[in-house]
Amino acid sequence: DGGITQSPKYLFRKEGQNVTLSCEQNLNHDAMYWYRQDPGQGLRLIYYSQIVNDFQKGDIAEGYSVSREKKESFPLTVTSAQKNPTAFYLCASSIDRGRYEQYFGPGTRLTVT
Amino acid sequence: GQQVMQIPQYQHVQEGEDFTTYCNSSTTLSNIQWYKQRPGGHPVFLIQLVKSGEVKKQKRLTFQFGEAKKNSSLHITATQTTDVGTYFCAGGYGQNFVFGPGTRLSVLP
């Protein structure tokens, strides 16, 4: 059963703590992405990766970090430097960047208090 | 910079009425994609348009790409309650995709 998994579905953290969101895909896709979605708003790109061991900042990378040590995995760390971390985080993948559809995971809803 | 606008932001329709959302870019797009996100869910790919003036249909959904490749529209004929959700366009600029803010559709039974 191919797809993208994100865990956990809901995550609660205290302010000042770093937290890592998991994203795994078994679609054999080269490209992976992290988006942030705030209530009633669109998707904003945090980071993307086209290949293992390489990743690029998106539009709102400040306060976030990623790694891509394996093709299947692209975890996102929300650091304490992120001013407003409470949001819905979506991971996606595609065959390659450019003219290919993106497959999204179910998302992680992060609440920081 | 690259920016994609969508109108309207919200649309409330009676079941059976038609619905249209519009997507606009200030610069020429290489392609455009449309996604649907159900309430509480994640975006799901609907279609991609590549050619100038292209029109594609999926049952009650009609997608158009403008002649100048700067705008696109999604039209739903005779809406049903299953059409509820937010519709996003994603404008392609070479290898980059920029998502529009989405149009949230509610359908009253």
Side-chain angles (χ1 to χ4, degrees):
Chain A
D1 192 18
I4 300 181
T5 56
Q6 290 185 245
S7 60
K9 190 170 183 179
Y10 298 95
L11 192 52
F12 298 88
R13 280 292 183 271
K14 293 289 186 186
E15 202 172 303
Q17 293 179 332
N18 290 355
V19 59
T20 298
L21 281 56
S22 163
C23 177
E24 303 278 331
Q25 54 101 356
N26 61 4
L27 300 168
N28 200 33
H29 286 172
D30 282 323
M32 295 189 74
Y33 314 82
W34 273 104
Y35 292 92
R36 171 181 172 139
Q37 186 174 35
D38 293 285
Q41 297 194 27
L43 306 173
R44 291 186 289 170
L45 183 64
I46 304 172
Y47 268 98
Y48 64 91
S49 168
Q50 281 188 259
I51 198 169
V52 173
N53 292 323
D54 184 59
F55 46 83
Q56 304 296 327
K57 292 182 180 180
D59 301 319
I60 56 166
E62 186 175 345
Y64 300 98
S65 66
V66 293
S67 63
R68 186 90 186 272
E69 296 176 3
K70 297 186 298 181
K71 187 175 185 177
E72 310 80 50
S73 179
F74 192 40
L76 172 75
T77 297
V78 184
T79 75
S80 56
Q82 168 51 232
K83 297 276 187 261
N84 297 296
T86 295
F88 188 44
Y89 291 88
L90 287 157
C91 178
S93 72
S94 62
I95 294 172
D96 198 350
R97 285 192 71 215
R99 299 187 173 209
Y100 298 100
E101 66 183 273
Q102 294 185 34
Y103 293 78
F104 284 83
T108 292
R109 199 166 297 275
L110 173 65
T111 302
V112 177
T113 57
Chain B
Q2 299 156 350
Q3 195 171 9
V4 174
M5 306 303 295
Q6 260 187 276
I7 55 169
Q9 190 176 2
Y10 302 96
Q11 184 81 59
H12 306 277
V13 299
Q14 204 71 38
E15 189 173 19
E17 291 181 339
D18 292 356
F19 159 77
T20 305
T21 174
Y22 300 90
C23 185
N24 294 287
S25 169
S26 57
T27 58
T28 303
L29 297 164
S30 48
N31 53 345
I32 193 158
Q33 297 177 345
W34 285 91
Y35 293 79
K36 176 184 178 181
Q37 183 176 23
R38 294 182 186 275
H42 57 276
V44 174
F45 175 81
L46 293 176
I47 208 159
Q48 175 168 268
L49 305 172
V50 178
K51 298 177 184 175
S52 168
E54 190 170 14
V55 178
K56 287 188 176 180
K57 293 191 175 186
Q58 289 179 350
K59 297 183 181 178
R60 294 178 295 104
L61 277 60
T62 302
F63 303 84
Q64 290 189 322
F65 201 9
E67 294 289 342
K69 298 183 74 173
K70 287 186 176 182
N71 55 72
S72 179
S73 65
L74 158 59
H75 179 83
I76 302 178
T77 303
T79 55
Q80 300 175 357
T81 54
T82 53
D83 295 325
V84 164
T86 301
Y87 293 85
F88 294 98
C89 62
Y93 302 91
Q95 286 196 313
N96 297 321
F97 274 103
V98 176
F99 279 82
T103 295
R104 184 180 297 180
L105 173 65
S106 63
V107 180
L108 304 173

